[in-house]
Coordinates of all heavy atoms in Angstrom, one line a residue:
M344 N -4.4 155.0 126.4 CA -5.6 154.3 126.9 C -5.4 154.4 128.4 O -4.4 154.2 129.1 CB -5.5 152.8 126.6 CG -6.6 152.0 127.0 SD -6.5 150.3 126.9 CE -5.5 149.9 128.4
R345 N -6.5 154.7 129.1 CA -6.5 154.9 130.6 C -7.4 153.9 131.2 O -8.5 153.6 130.6 CB -6.9 156.4 131.0 CG -6.0 157.4 130.4 CD -6.3 158.8 130.5 NE -5.3 159.6 130.0 CZ -4.8 160.7 130.8 NH1 -5.3 161.1 131.8 NH2 -3.8 161.3 130.2
V346 N -6.9 153.4 132.3 CA -7.7 152.5 133.1 C -8.0 153.2 134.5 O -7.2 153.6 135.1 CB -7.0 151.1 133.3 CG1 -7.8 150.1 134.3 CG2 -6.6 150.5 132.0
Y347 N -9.3 153.1 134.9 CA -9.7 153.7 136.3 C -10.2 152.6 137.0 O -10.8 151.5 136.5 CB -10.8 154.7 136.0 CG -10.3 155.9 135.1 CD1 -10.3 156.1 133.8 CD2 -9.7 157.0 135.9 CE1 -9.9 157.1 133.1 CE2 -9.3 158.2 135.3 CZ -9.3 158.2 133.8 OH -8.9 159.4 133.2
S348 N -10.1 152.8 138.3 CA -10.7 151.8 139.4 C -12.2 152.0 139.4 O -12.7 153.1 138.9 CB -10.1 152.0 140.7 OG -10.5 153.3 141.3
E349 N -12.9 151.2 140.1 CA -14.3 151.4 140.3 C -14.6 152.7 140.9 O -15.7 153.3 140.9 CB -14.9 150.3 141.1 CG -15.0 149.0 140.3 CD -15.7 148.0 141.1 OE1 -16.2 148.1 142.0 OE2 -15.5 146.6 140.7
Q350 N -13.5 153.1 141.8 CA -13.7 154.5 142.6 C -13.3 155.6 141.6 O -13.1 156.8 142.1 CB -12.8 154.5 143.8 CG -13.4 153.6 144.8 CD -13.0 152.1 144.6 OE1 -12.1 151.8 144.0 NE2 -13.7 151.2 145.0
K351 N -13.1 155.5 140.5 CA -12.7 156.4 139.3 C -11.3 156.9 139.5 O -11.0 157.9 139.2 CB -13.7 157.6 139.3 CG -15.2 157.2 139.2 CD -15.5 156.7 137.9 CE -17.0 156.4 137.8 NZ -17.3 155.5 136.7
E352 N -10.5 156.2 140.3 CA -9.0 156.7 140.4 C -8.3 156.2 139.3 O -8.5 155.0 138.9 CB -8.5 156.1 141.7 CG -7.0 156.5 142.0 CD -6.4 156.0 143.2 OE1 -6.2 154.8 143.3 OE2 -6.3 156.8 144.2
L353 N -7.4 157.0 138.8 CA -6.6 156.6 137.6 C -5.6 155.5 138.0 O -4.8 155.7 139.1 CB -5.7 157.8 137.0 CG -4.9 157.6 135.8 CD1 -5.8 157.2 134.7 CD2 -4.0 158.8 135.5
M354 N -5.5 154.4 137.2 CA -4.8 153.2 137.8 C -3.6 153.1 136.7 O -2.6 152.7 137.1 CB -5.7 152.0 137.7 CG -6.9 152.1 138.7 SD -6.4 152.2 140.4 CE -5.6 150.6 140.6
Q355 N -4.0 153.2 135.4 CA -2.9 152.9 134.4 C -3.1 153.8 133.2 O -4.3 154.1 132.7 CB -3.0 151.4 134.0 CG -2.1 150.9 133.0 CD -2.4 149.4 132.6 OE1 -2.9 148.7 133.4 NE2 -1.8 149.1 131.6
V356 N -2.0 154.2 132.6 CA -2.0 154.9 131.3 C -1.1 154.2 130.4 O 0.2 154.0 130.7 CB -1.6 156.4 131.5 CG1 -1.7 157.1 130.0 CG2 -2.5 157.2 132.6
T357 N -1.6 153.8 129.3 CA -0.7 153.1 128.3 C -0.7 153.8 127.0 O -1.7 154.3 126.6 CB -1.4 151.7 128.0 OG1 -1.4 150.9 129.2 CG2 -0.4 150.9 127.1
C358 N 0.5 154.1 126.4 CA 0.7 154.7 125.2 C 0.0 153.9 124.1 O 0.3 152.8 123.9 CB 2.2 155.0 124.8 SG 2.4 155.6 123.2
N359 N -0.9 154.5 123.3 CA -1.5 153.8 122.2 C -0.5 153.4 121.1 O -0.8 152.6 120.4 CB -2.7 154.6 121.6 CG -3.9 154.6 122.7 OD1 -3.8 155.3 123.7 ND2 -5.0 153.8 122.3
G360 N 0.6 154.3 121.0 CA 1.4 154.1 120.0 C 2.4 152.9 120.2 O 2.7 152.2 119.3
C361 N 2.9 152.7 121.4 CA 4.0 151.7 121.7 C 3.6 150.8 122.8 O 4.5 149.9 123.1 CB 5.3 152.5 121.8 SG 5.4 153.4 123.4
R362 N 2.6 150.9 123.5 CA 2.1 150.1 124.6 C 2.9 150.3 125.9 O 2.8 149.6 126.9 CB 2.2 148.6 124.2 CG 1.2 148.1 123.3 CD 1.4 146.6 123.1 NE 0.7 146.2 121.9 CZ -0.6 145.9 121.7 NH1 -1.4 146.1 122.9 NH2 -1.0 145.5 120.7
K363 N 3.8 151.4 125.9 CA 4.5 151.7 127.1 C 3.5 152.2 128.2 O 2.6 152.9 128.0 CB 5.5 152.8 126.8 CG 6.2 153.4 128.0 CD 7.1 154.5 127.7 CE 7.7 155.2 129.0 NZ 8.4 156.3 128.6
N364 N 3.7 151.6 129.4 CA 3.0 152.1 130.5 C 3.6 153.2 131.1 O 4.8 153.3 131.5 CB 2.8 150.9 131.5 CG 1.8 149.9 131.1 OD1 0.8 150.2 130.5 ND2 2.3 148.7 131.4
L365 N 2.9 154.4 131.3 CA 3.4 155.6 131.7 C 3.2 155.5 133.2 O 2.4 154.8 133.9 CB 2.7 156.8 131.3 CG 2.7 157.0 129.7 CD1 2.0 158.2 129.3 CD2 4.1 157.0 129.2
L366 N 4.2 156.3 134.0 CA 4.1 156.3 135.5 C 2.9 156.9 136.1 O 2.7 158.1 135.9 CB 5.4 157.0 136.0 CG 5.7 157.0 137.4 CD1 5.9 155.5 137.9 CD2 6.9 157.7 137.9
V367 N 2.1 156.1 136.9 CA 1.0 156.6 137.7 C 1.3 156.2 139.0 O 1.5 155.0 139.3 CB -0.2 155.9 137.1 CG1 -1.4 156.4 138.1 CG2 -0.5 156.3 135.7
E368 N 1.2 157.3 139.9 CA 1.4 157.1 141.3 C 0.2 157.7 142.0 O -0.2 158.9 141.8 CB 2.6 157.8 141.8 CG 3.9 157.1 141.4 CD 5.2 157.9 141.9 OE1 5.0 159.0 142.2 OE2 6.1 157.3 142.0
N369 N -0.4 156.9 142.8 CA -1.6 157.3 143.7 C -2.6 158.0 142.9 O -3.2 159.2 143.3 CB -1.1 158.4 144.9 CG -0.1 157.7 145.7 OD1 -0.2 156.5 146.1 ND2 1.1 158.3 146.1
G370 N -2.8 157.5 141.7 CA -3.9 158.1 141.0 C -3.5 159.3 140.1 O -4.4 159.8 139.4
F371 N -2.3 159.7 140.1 CA -1.7 160.8 139.3 C -0.7 160.3 138.3 O 0.2 159.6 138.6 CB -1.2 161.9 140.2 CG -2.2 162.6 141.1 CD1 -2.4 162.3 142.4 CD2 -3.0 163.7 140.6 CE1 -3.4 162.9 143.1 CE2 -3.9 164.2 141.4 CZ -4.2 163.8 142.7
L372 N -1.0 160.8 137.1 CA 0.0 160.6 136.0 C 1.4 161.5 136.4 O 1.3 162.7 136.4 CB -0.6 161.0 134.6 CG 0.3 160.7 133.5 CD1 0.6 159.4 133.3 CD2 -0.4 161.3 132.3
R373 N 2.5 160.8 136.4 CA 3.7 161.5 136.7 C 4.8 161.5 135.5 O 5.9 161.6 135.7 CB 4.3 160.7 138.0 CG 3.6 160.7 139.2 CD 3.4 162.1 139.8 NE 2.9 161.9 141.1 CZ 2.4 162.8 141.8 NH1 2.5 164.2 141.3 NH2 1.8 162.8 142.9
E374 N 4.2 161.3 134.3 CA 4.9 161.4 133.2 C 4.3 162.2 132.1 O 3.1 162.2 132.1 CB 5.2 159.9 132.7 CG 6.5 159.7 131.9 CD 6.8 158.3 131.8 OE1 6.3 157.4 132.6 OE2 7.5 157.9 130.8
E375 N 5.1 162.8 131.3 CA 4.4 163.6 130.3 C 3.7 162.6 129.2 O 4.0 161.5 128.9 CB 5.6 164.3 129.2 CG 5.0 165.3 128.4 CD 4.2 166.4 129.0 OE1 4.7 167.0 129.9 OE2 3.1 166.7 128.7
C376 N 2.4 163.1 128.9 CA 1.6 162.3 128.1 C 0.7 163.2 127.2 O 0.2 164.1 127.7 CB 0.7 161.5 129.0 SG -0.6 160.7 128.2
I377 N 0.5 162.9 126.0 CA -0.3 163.7 125.2 C -1.6 163.1 125.0 O -1.7 161.9 124.5 CB 0.4 163.8 123.7 CG1 1.6 164.8 123.9 CG2 -0.6 164.5 122.8 CD1 2.8 164.0 124.4
H378 N -2.7 163.6 125.7 CA -4.1 163.0 125.6 C -4.9 163.6 124.6 O -5.0 164.9 124.7 CB -4.6 163.2 127.0 CG -5.9 162.6 127.2 ND1 -6.2 161.2 127.3 CD2 -7.2 163.1 127.3 CE1 -7.5 161.0 127.3 NE2 -8.1 162.2 127.4
V379 N -5.6 162.9 123.7 CA -6.4 163.4 122.7 C -7.7 163.0 122.8 O -7.8 161.6 122.9 CB -5.7 163.1 121.4 CG1 -6.6 163.6 120.2 CG2 -4.4 163.9 121.1
E380 N -8.8 163.7 122.8 CA -10.1 163.2 122.8 C -10.8 164.0 121.8 O -10.8 165.4 121.8 CB -10.7 163.3 124.2 CG -12.1 162.8 124.3 CD -12.5 162.6 125.7 OE1 -11.7 162.3 126.6 OE2 -13.7 162.8 126.0
H381 N -11.3 163.4 120.7 CA -11.9 164.2 119.6 C -13.3 163.6 119.2 O -13.5 162.4 119.1 CB -10.9 164.1 118.4 CG -11.5 164.9 117.4 ND1 -11.6 166.4 117.3 CD2 -12.2 164.6 116.1 CE1 -12.1 166.7 116.1 NE2 -12.6 165.6 115.4
D382 N -14.4 164.7 119.1 CA -15.7 164.2 118.6 C -15.7 164.6 117.1 O -15.6 165.7 116.8 CB -16.7 164.9 119.5 CG -16.7 164.6 120.9 OD1 -16.5 163.4 121.3 OD2 -17.1 165.5 121.8
F383 N -15.9 163.7 116.4 CA -16.0 163.9 114.9 C -17.4 164.6 114.6 O -18.3 164.1 115.1 CB -15.8 162.6 114.0 CG -14.3 162.2 114.0 CD1 -14.0 161.3 115.2 CD2 -13.4 162.6 113.2 CE1 -12.6 160.8 115.2 CE2 -12.1 162.2 113.2 CZ -11.7 161.3 114.2
G384 N -17.3 165.4 113.7 CA -18.5 166.2 113.3 C -19.1 165.6 112.0 O -18.9 164.5 111.7
F385 N -20.0 166.4 111.3 CA -20.8 166.0 110.2 C -20.0 166.0 108.9 O -20.6 165.5 107.9 CB -21.9 167.0 110.1 CG -22.8 167.1 111.3 CD1 -22.8 168.2 112.2 CD2 -23.5 165.9 111.8 CE1 -23.6 168.2 113.3 CE2 -24.3 166.0 112.9 CZ -24.3 167.2 113.7
F386 N -18.8 166.4 108.7 CA -18.3 166.6 107.4 C -17.2 165.5 107.1 O -16.6 165.5 106.0 CB -17.6 168.0 107.4 CG -18.6 169.1 107.6 CD1 -18.5 169.9 108.7 CD2 -19.6 169.3 106.7 CE1 -19.4 170.8 109.0 CE2 -20.6 170.4 106.9 CZ -20.4 171.1 108.1
G387 N -17.1 164.5 107.9 CA -16.2 163.5 107.6 C -16.8 162.1 107.5 O -18.1 161.8 107.7
S388 N -15.9 161.1 107.4 CA -16.4 159.6 107.3 C -16.7 159.0 108.8 O -17.2 158.0 108.9 CB -15.4 158.7 106.7 OG -14.1 158.8 107.3
R389 N -16.2 159.8 109.8 CA -16.5 159.2 111.1 C -17.6 160.1 111.9 O -17.6 160.1 113.2 CB -15.2 159.3 112.0 CG -14.1 158.4 111.5 CD -12.9 158.5 112.3 NE -11.9 157.4 111.9 CZ -11.1 157.5 111.0 NH1 -10.8 158.7 110.5 NH2 -10.2 156.5 110.8
D390 N -18.6 160.6 111.1 CA -19.7 161.4 111.7 C -20.3 160.7 113.0 O -20.7 159.5 112.9 CB -20.7 161.5 110.6 CG -21.9 162.4 111.1 OD1 -21.8 163.0 112.1 OD2 -22.9 162.3 110.3
G391 N -20.2 161.4 114.0 CA -21.0 160.9 115.3 C -20.0 160.0 116.2 O -20.4 159.6 117.3
L392 N -18.8 159.7 115.6 CA -17.8 158.9 116.5 C -16.9 159.7 117.2 O -16.7 160.9 117.0 CB -17.0 158.0 115.6 CG -17.7 156.9 114.8 CD1 -16.7 156.1 113.9 CD2 -18.4 156.0 115.7
S393 N -16.5 159.3 118.4 CA -15.5 159.9 119.2 C -14.2 159.0 119.3 O -14.4 157.7 119.3 CB -16.0 160.3 120.6 OG -17.1 161.1 120.5
H394 N -13.0 159.6 119.3 CA -11.9 158.9 119.5 C -11.1 159.5 120.8 O -11.2 160.8 121.0 CB -10.9 159.1 118.2 CG -11.3 158.2 117.1 ND1 -10.5 158.0 116.0 CD2 -12.3 157.4 117.0 CE1 -10.9 157.2 115.2 NE2 -12.2 156.8 115.7
R395 N -10.4 158.6 121.4 CA -9.6 159.0 122.5 C -8.4 158.2 122.6 O -8.4 157.0 122.3 CB -10.5 158.9 123.7 CG -9.8 159.2 125.2 CD -10.5 159.2 126.3 NE -11.4 158.0 126.3 CZ -12.7 157.9 126.7 NH1 -13.2 159.0 127.1 NH2 -13.4 156.7 126.8
F396 N -7.3 158.8 122.8 CA -6.0 158.1 122.8 C -4.9 158.9 123.6 O -5.0 160.0 123.8 CB -5.4 157.6 121.5 CG -5.0 158.8 120.6 CD1 -3.8 159.3 120.6 CD2 -5.9 159.3 119.7 CE1 -3.5 160.4 119.6 CE2 -5.8 160.2 118.8 CZ -4.5 160.8 118.8
D397 N -3.8 158.1 124.1 CA -2.7 158.7 124.9 C -1.4 158.3 124.1 O -1.3 157.2 123.7 CB -2.8 158.2 126.3 CG -3.9 158.7 127.1 OD1 -3.9 159.7 127.5 OD2 -4.9 157.8 127.2
L398 N -0.6 159.3 124.0 CA 0.7 159.1 123.5 C 1.8 159.5 124.4 O 1.8 160.5 125.0 CB 0.9 159.9 122.2 CG 0.0 159.4 121.0 CD1 0.2 160.4 119.8 CD2 0.4 158.0 120.6
C399 N 2.9 158.6 124.5 CA 4.1 159.1 125.2 C 4.8 160.1 124.4 O 4.6 160.3 123.2 CB 5.1 157.9 125.5 SG 5.8 157.1 124.0
E400 N 5.9 160.8 125.0 CA 6.5 161.9 124.2 C 7.2 161.4 123.0 O 7.1 162.0 121.9 CB 7.5 162.5 125.1 CG 7.0 163.6 126.0 CD 8.1 164.4 126.8 OE1 8.7 163.9 127.7 OE2 8.3 165.5 126.3
E401 N 7.8 160.2 123.1 CA 8.4 159.6 121.9 C 7.4 159.4 120.7 O 7.9 159.7 119.5 CB 9.1 158.3 122.2 CG 10.3 158.5 123.0 CD 11.1 157.2 123.3 OE1 10.9 156.2 122.5 OE2 11.9 157.0 124.2
C402 N 6.3 158.8 121.0 CA 5.4 158.6 120.0 C 4.8 159.8 119.5 O 4.5 160.0 118.2 CB 4.3 157.7 120.5 SG 5.0 155.9 120.6
Y403 N 4.6 160.7 120.3 CA 4.2 162.1 119.9 C 5.2 162.7 118.8 O 4.8 163.3 117.9 CB 3.9 163.1 121.0 CG 3.5 164.5 120.7 CD1 2.2 164.7 120.2 CD2 4.3 165.5 120.8 CE1 1.8 165.9 119.8 CE2 3.9 166.8 120.4 CZ 2.7 167.0 119.9 OH 2.3 168.3 119.6
Q404 N 6.5 162.6 119.3 CA 7.5 163.2 118.5 C 7.5 162.6 117.1 O 7.7 163.2 115.9 CB 9.0 163.1 119.2 CG 10.0 163.7 118.2 CD 9.7 165.2 118.1 OE1 9.4 165.9 119.0 NE2 10.1 165.7 116.9
K405 N 7.4 161.2 117.0 CA 7.2 160.5 115.8 C 6.1 161.0 114.8 O 6.3 161.2 113.7 CB 7.1 159.0 116.0 CG 8.4 158.3 116.5 CD 8.2 156.8 116.7 CE 9.3 156.2 117.4 NZ 9.0 154.8 117.9
M406 N 5.0 161.1 115.6 CA 3.8 161.6 114.9 C 4.0 163.0 114.3 O 3.8 163.1 113.1 CB 2.6 161.5 115.8 CG 1.2 161.7 115.1 SD -0.1 161.8 116.2 CE 0.1 163.5 117.0
I407 N 4.4 163.9 115.0 CA 4.6 165.2 114.5 C 5.6 165.4 113.6 O 5.7 166.3 112.7 CB 4.6 166.3 115.6 CG1 5.8 166.3 116.4 CG2 3.4 166.2 116.4 CD1 6.0 167.4 117.3
G408 N 6.6 164.5 113.6 CA 7.7 164.5 112.6 C 7.4 164.1 111.3 O 8.0 164.4 110.3
R409 N 6.1 163.5 111.0 CA 5.6 163.2 109.8 C 4.7 164.4 109.2 O 4.4 164.2 108.0 CB 4.8 161.9 109.9 CG 5.6 160.5 110.2 CD 4.9 159.4 109.9 NE 3.6 159.3 110.8 CZ 3.5 158.7 111.9 NH1 4.6 158.2 112.5 NH2 2.3 158.7 112.6
F410 N 4.5 165.3 110.0 CA 3.7 166.4 109.5 C 4.4 167.3 108.4 O 5.7 167.4 108.4 CB 3.5 167.5 110.6 CG 2.4 167.0 111.8 CD1 1.9 165.6 111.6 CD2 2.0 167.8 112.7 CE1 0.9 165.2 112.5 CE2 1.2 167.5 113.7 CZ 0.6 166.1 113.5
A411 N 3.6 167.5 107.4 CA 4.1 168.4 106.3 C 4.4 169.8 106.8 O 5.4 170.5 106.3 CB 3.2 168.4 105.1
V412 N 3.5 170.2 107.7 CA 3.7 171.5 108.3 C 4.0 171.4 109.7 O 3.2 170.8 110.4 CB 2.4 172.5 108.0 CG1 2.6 173.9 108.7 CG2 2.1 172.5 106.5
P413 N 5.0 172.0 110.2 CA 5.4 171.8 111.7 C 4.3 172.3 112.5 O 3.5 173.2 112.3 CB 6.6 172.7 111.8 CG 7.2 172.9 110.5 CD 6.0 172.8 109.6
V414 N 4.1 171.6 113.8 CA 3.2 172.2 114.8 C 3.5 173.6 115.1 O 4.7 174.0 115.1 CB 3.1 171.2 116.0 CG1 2.7 169.9 115.6 CG2 4.4 171.2 116.7
E415 N 2.6 174.3 115.6 CA 2.8 175.6 116.2 C 3.4 175.5 117.6 O 2.8 174.6 118.3 CB 1.7 176.5 116.2 CG 1.1 176.8 114.8 CD -0.2 177.7 114.9 OE1 -0.1 178.8 115.4 OE2 -1.3 177.2 114.5
E416 N 4.4 176.1 118.0 CA 5.0 176.0 119.3 C 5.3 177.4 119.9 O 5.7 178.3 119.3 CB 6.3 175.2 119.2 CG 7.1 175.0 120.5 CD 8.2 174.2 120.3 OE1 8.2 172.9 120.3 OE2 9.4 174.8 120.1
W417 N 4.9 177.5 121.2 CA 5.2 178.8 121.8 C 5.4 178.5 123.2 O 5.1 177.4 123.8 CB 4.0 179.7 121.7 CG 2.8 179.3 122.2 CD1 2.2 179.6 123.5 CD2 1.8 178.5 121.5 NE1 1.1 178.9 123.6 CE2 0.8 178.2 122.5 CE3 1.7 177.9 120.3 CZ2 -0.3 177.4 122.1 CZ3 0.6 177.1 119.9 CH2 -0.4 176.9 120.8
E418 N 6.1 179.4 124.1 CA 6.3 179.2 125.4 C 5.3 179.9 126.3 O 5.1 181.0 126.1 CB 7.7 179.7 125.7 CG 8.4 179.4 127.1 CD 9.7 179.9 127.3 OE1 10.5 179.8 126.2 OE2 10.1 180.3 128.4
R419 N 4.8 178.9 127.2 CA 3.6 179.6 128.0 C 4.4 180.4 129.1 O 5.4 180.1 129.6 CB 2.8 178.6 128.6 CG 2.0 177.8 127.6 CD 1.1 176.8 128.3 NE 1.6 176.0 129.3 CZ 2.3 174.9 129.2 NH1 2.6 174.4 127.9 NH2 2.6 174.2 130.2
K420 N 3.7 181.6 129.5 CA 4.2 182.3 130.5 C 3.9 182.0 132.0 O 4.7 182.2 132.8 CB 3.6 183.7 130.3 CG 4.0 184.4 129.0 CD 5.6 184.6 128.7 CE 5.8 185.3 127.4 NZ 7.2 184.9 127.0
E421 N 2.9 181.2 132.0 CA 2.4 180.8 133.3 C 2.2 179.3 133.4 O 1.5 178.7 132.5 CB 1.2 181.5 133.7 CG 1.3 182.9 133.9 CD -0.1 183.7 134.3 OE1 -0.9 182.9 134.9 OE2 -0.3 184.8 134.2
L422 N 2.7 178.6 134.2 CA 2.7 177.1 134.4 C 1.8 176.9 135.8 O 2.1 177.6 136.7 CB 4.0 176.4 134.5 CG 4.8 176.6 133.2 CD1 6.1 176.0 133.5 CD2 4.2 175.9 132.1
L423 N 0.9 176.0 135.6 CA 0.1 175.7 136.8 C 0.9 174.7 137.6 O 1.6 173.9 137.3 CB -1.2 175.1 136.4 CG -2.2 176.0 135.7 CD1 -3.5 175.4 135.3 CD2 -2.5 177.3 136.5
Ligands
LIG1032 ZN1 4.7 155.5 122.9

């Protein structure tokens, strides 16, 4: 979950999984965070809804640890 100031500056990022507040300095997130924003389509029970959440690395690891098929992983050649 993200909180912005009235000037649209990022103020706080809280992990939806464990409520940990991630490090935000001067409007920038300084800690790894998995941000998901998804618009549900026509073929499911959430038709027309959108979901958004943030996970810390630990909660992300717990989530993918329950997957029956491992996530795909590769090393990027260029980092921004
Ligand atoms: Zn967490």
Side-chain angles (χ1 to χ4, degrees):
M344 184 195 83
R345 295 178 178 222
V346 177
Y347 294 89
S348 70
E349 289 183 18
Q350 292 78 30
K351 309 291 186 199
E352 181 179 69
L353 183 62
M354 301 297 291
Q355 182 179 337
V356 179
T357 303
C358 173
N359 285 74
C361 69
R362 296 184 194 273
K363 175 185 173 186
N364 286 323
L365 302 179
L366 181 61
V367 174
E368 286 179 339
N369 302 318
F371 292 97
L372 182 60
R373 300 289 188 194
E374 203 168 338
E375 189 65 53
C376 174
I377 292 80
H378 179 72
V379 175
E380 189 165 323
H381 182 73
D382 298 326
F383 288 91
F385 298 111
F386 303 109
S388 61
R389 293 185 171 93
D390 180 14
L392 293 177
S393 296
H394 281 189
R395 177 171 50 220
F396 60 88
D397 294 280
L398 293 175
C399 70
E400 276 193 286
E401 286 183 22
C402 287
Y403 178 72
Q404 185 57 47
K405 287 179 191 172
M406 183 182 78
I407 67 172
R409 294 191 301 265
F410 287 2
V412 177
V414 298
E415 293 181 66
E416 182 177 271
W417 61 94
E418 192 170 325
R419 296 190 313 277
K420 298 299 181 205
E421 295 179 18
L422 296 175
L423 295 178

